[in-house]
Amino acid sequence: MKATIDVCLSPELMHLYDVQGKVVVVVDILRATSCMTTALAHGIEHIQPFAKLEECLQAKHNGYFTAGERDGKKVEGFDLGNSPFEYMVPALQGKKIAFTTTNGTQAIAKSKGADTIIIGSFLNLETVVNYLRQQTKNILVVCAGWKGKVNLEDTLFAGAVVELLKDQIKPDCDAPLMAQRLYLDAKEDMVAYLQQSSHVKRLARLNIHKDIVFCLTPNQYQVLPIMQKGLLVDLHRS
Ligand code: 3SL
């Protein structure tokens, strides 16, 4: 039997999907999974994702750098925020990061029970797609969205994956077809396409346009963040 691909457009819809036996790709383009990809590409040893802020903070006692945001802003007392550029510094190489975000790490928590969990972003799109090509299990792309609502940027990433796998892996439902159509409309200039999107407007208010442009730039890195024993590591280094 051929593998299929489906897309969960919001973590609030996860009850409709059975992750057991599936390869789940969690995506939060702006900016959680783009940060995770960047961090591992720049030599961070591993990332432990937390849904709860208090638990993330506790990890500091175990030698972790605390990182992440709430409502886009760095959490008070945390070492790092949620801009990919913060993770490019050589001083973080070989370090462990405890990470919590408004939506991205919640989507990871909701994917628990999947056969495999990997992290996707435009930054490692080709690497994700090459990995998925080799899988025989069904695939589910889980879009983190924003506080339960659907967003455009995660849907575009899901659509890119569906489009790039179309000769090999068939859509399971209508969400992958919708995502693919949107991606085909947007792909020539995603930054322009997303100008009206809610999260781009939200982040623009925080004055972080360069994060947006970077997070929408495909194929900057060849890392494949994969969950192993509760930790995100680069598959190629593990
Ligand atoms: O919600 C998340 O996981 C974030 O990435 C949100 S933000 O881009 O930092 O606002």
Side-chain angles (χ1 to χ4, degrees):
M1 200 177 64
K2 276 239 174 270
T4 60
I5 184 162
D6 207 343
V7 176
C8 175
L9 292 168
S10 154
E12 291 297 313
L13 299 173
M14 278 300 270
H15 61 280
L16 302 175
Y17 299 85
D18 183 7
V19 295
Q20 240 188 350
K22 292 204 173 82
V23 178
V24 166
V25 186
V26 178
V27 54
D28 184 352
I29 295 299
L30 299 173
R31 297 162 288 167
T33 60
S34 300
C35 276
M36 292 168 182
T37 305
T38 305
L40 290 172
H42 285 265
I44 272 138
E45 189 197 290
H46 69 247
I47 298 163
Q48 185 164 4
F50 290 93
K52 292 199 177 108
L53 210 144
E54 304 71 34
E55 288 173 11
C56 186
L57 202 52
Q58 285 305 315
K60 209 172 171 65
H61 304 300
N62 299 325
Y64 278 80
F65 279 75
T66 48
E69 55 67 46
R70 282 296 178 269
D71 290 326
K73 295 184 203 117
K74 181 177 165 186
V75 180
E76 218 186 301
F78 271 32
D79 301 305
L80 300 152
N82 197 30
S83 166
F85 294 100
E86 291 179 76
Y87 297 86
M88 296 177 182
V89 294
L92 289 174
Q93 277 172 20
K95 303 287 191 259
K96 308 181 288 184
I97 298 217
F99 213 109
T100 184
T101 65
T102 311
N103 306 286
T105 57
Q106 320 297 325
I108 294 174
K110 288 209 172 181
S111 303
K112 218 172 141 193
D115 193 76
T116 307
I117 299 175
I118 64 168
I119 295 299
S121 68
F122 282 110
L123 300 171
N124 67 342
L125 173 62
E126 203 172 271
T127 306
V128 167
V129 167
N130 287 339
Y131 174 82
L132 294 175
R133 271 190 226 288
Q134 290 155 26
Q135 307 307 308
T136 50
K137 303 209 162 87
N138 291 339
I139 299 160
L140 178 65
V141 182
V142 175
C143 299
W146 180 262
K147 297 187 179 177
K149 294 184 179 170
V150 172
N151 75 22
L152 206 42
E153 63 275 14
D154 298 343
T155 308
L156 291 185
F157 173 84
V161 173
V162 174
E163 170 66 15
L164 293 168
L165 290 173
K166 68 180 177 204
D167 293 335
Q168 250 179 286
I169 302 173
K170 295 292 157 218
D172 200 16
C173 203
D174 289 357
L177 295 173
M178 287 160 52
Q180 182 184 17
R181 273 268 41 106
L182 285 175
Y183 170 68
L184 290 173
D185 278 356
K187 70 174 190 171
E188 292 317 325
D189 188 349
M190 287 193 287
V191 177
Y193 194 85
L194 286 167
Q195 271 324 297
Q196 294 309 312
S197 76
S198 55
H199 200 44
V200 164
K201 285 187 187 161
R202 206 174 287 121
L203 292 178
R205 285 197 288 275
L206 298 176
N207 215 5
I208 38 184
H209 185 67
K210 78 172 183 162
D211 283 18
I212 299 168
V213 174
F214 182 68
C215 293
L216 295 174
T217 311
N219 305 324
Q220 296 300 296
Y221 301 123
Q222 289 168 355
V223 288
L224 191 87
I226 188 163
M227 188 72 96
Q228 289 180 352
K229 298 186 182 141
L231 305 176
L232 290 168
V233 297
D234 176 14
L235 178 66
H236 305 126
R237 262 196 283 148
S238 66

